[in-house]
Amino acid sequence: MADREKDFSHNGTFNPNYPTPNHGSDNSNHTGTLNPNYPGGNGNSTSYHMGEDVPSDTALRRIKTAGSISISPELFEKIYLSPQNSVKGDLRKTFGNPTPLALLGFLLSLSPLSCDLMGWRGAGGNGAAGTGTYFFMGGVLMIIGGVLEFFLGNTFPFVVFCSFGGFWLTFGATLTPFYNAYGAYSPDPNMPAEGLASPKFAASFGFFQVFMGLLCLVYLICALRTNIVFLVIFATLVVAFGLLAGTYWHLALGHAALAGKLQIAAGAVLFVTCMAGWWIFLAQMLAAVDFPLQVPVGDISHLIPGASTKMAAKEEYSA
């Protein structure tokens, strides 16, 4: 499709802030030649709008000399997991995309945990074997990725990644004896592990799962302006946190058999979350290296127009 565009600066990085052409009046000539009248050009700038019919060797040669080539909203959303927005500065042209880094931390923490919750290969212990992973993969990588998204002006992924980074640090700390999260519930101070079996600990920790589910519900609503894969991730997280809350609350009531079934169900739903996450991670990495085979993520950002888009259309109609 001619409206599938790429955007590169002099060093080959994406420039998401470059205006997307109006599909009703395409200002390009579909040959990749310079058009100083293209939006954002002033007659002296070197901006290109390339169609897909441009040969690859010609495109690469012109990319090296072009000031910028516009990026489509669909590609922006795939790269940053956020609807396209305009920000001041050129940080997106200067730095790499931090989104895959945060996704990697999330996936390498949640994927083994989902298998632990289902008890595969005899695994168990609420995922305690992955405590280090929760700290240094989930916590550290997601917070780093989130902070970098902040500097790029991507508010939604910034909040999502930092909040889940905090979740993984919290989960890891809960399983670490030093923080005495479960030891405080132990009837014997010398046997802190007994606190894990305390009904009060299970009932209290269940509330954390409930409100993580509520947070994911908010993210689910926001993800309606991103893509189908991201939507699946948050939808399954809402269900999984609900099942985990039920697991802890039934443990507190002494219903061990039912709690075990709920835990397995939560692990299965989280496994679906992970598969969707690995899919979007693959899509991001392929886009990062401009791989000739691109993985679709089901862009739906155009289905719900943004408030600013509606306002601009209303003002244009009024004028």
Side-chain angles (χ1 to χ4, degrees):
M1 290 176 15
D3 61 338
R4 294 284 182 176
E5 306 131 345
K6 294 181 180 177
D7 176 52
F8 292 88
S9 66
H10 290 291
N11 59 4
T13 56
F14 284 106
N15 179 4
N17 294 321
Y18 196 75
T20 305
N22 187 312
H23 299 296
S25 58
D26 192 354
N27 290 303
S28 70
N29 58 11
H30 297 283
T31 62
T33 57
L34 177 64
N35 186 346
N37 297 319
Y38 189 71
N42 57 9
N44 297 319
S45 63
T46 52
S47 298
Y48 287 92
H49 172 59
M50 287 193 187
E52 290 190 349
D53 54 340
V54 179
S56 59
D57 55 342
T58 303
L60 288 174
R61 184 172 64 255
R62 290 171 180 170
I63 283 169
K64 293 177 181 179
T65 58
S68 60
I69 300 172
S70 59
I71 181 174
S72 68
E74 293 83 1
L75 183 56
F76 182 95
E77 179 274 320
K78 177 188 283 189
I79 294 171
Y80 293 108
L81 302 182
S82 176
Q84 189 173 22
N85 61 339
S86 298
V87 296
K88 295 182 179 180
D90 295 328
L91 289 180
R92 288 172 179 167
K93 294 190 295 183
T94 305
F95 298 109
N97 177 20
T99 308
L101 178 68
L103 281 174
L104 181 65
F106 177 76
L107 292 170
L108 287 181
S109 299
L110 187 62
S111 299
L113 177 61
S114 66
C115 298
D116 290 345
L117 294 175
M118 289 186 288
W120 284 1
R121 305 288 297 178
N126 289 323
T131 301
T133 307
Y134 309 145
F135 279 112
F136 299 107
M137 296 299 293
V140 173
L141 293 187
M142 293 202 74
I143 288 179
I144 290 176
V147 170
L148 293 176
E149 294 280 7
F150 167 80
F151 286 112
L152 294 181
N154 300 327
T155 302
F156 182 50
F158 154 62
V159 176
V160 170
F161 294 153
C162 284
S163 62
F164 270 94
F167 166 79
W168 288 117
L169 292 175
T170 301
F171 190 58
T174 302
L175 297 174
T176 304
F178 173 80
Y179 294 98
N180 202 40
Y182 54 81
Y185 293 89
S186 175
D188 184 356
N190 297 319
M191 301 290 290
E194 293 183 2
L196 289 170
S198 168
K200 291 184 178 180
F201 170 77
S204 300
F205 199 52
F207 283 108
F208 180 51
Q209 315 303 319
V210 168
F211 289 103
M212 279 301 301
L214 177 60
L215 178 63
C216 289
L217 179 60
V218 174
Y219 292 158
L220 173 63
I221 296 172
C222 296
L224 290 171
R225 295 211 62 231
T226 58
N227 60 68
I228 293 176
V229 180
F230 217 30
L231 202 65
V232 169
I233 288 175
F234 288 121
T236 52
L237 283 173
V238 170
V239 175
F241 279 119
L243 291 170
L244 287 173
T247 299
Y248 284 104
W249 284 345
H250 279 289
L251 280 175
L253 295 173
H255 305 157
L258 179 56
K261 293 179 180 178
L262 291 174
Q263 176 179 302
I264 293 173
V269 175
L270 288 174
F271 190 78
V272 176
T273 305
C274 294
M275 293 303 101
W278 283 111
W279 180 268
I280 206 167
F281 177 75
L282 173 63
Q284 293 233 325
M285 294 306 295
L286 292 178
V289 297
D290 198 22
F291 200 77
L293 174 64
Q294 294 295 307
V295 175
V297 294
D299 175 69
I300 55 175
S301 58
H302 59 283
L303 297 181
I304 303 179
S308 58
T309 304
K310 288 185 175 180
M311 182 65 67
K314 184 178 180 180
E315 291 177 353
E316 182 179 355
Y317 179 78
S318 300

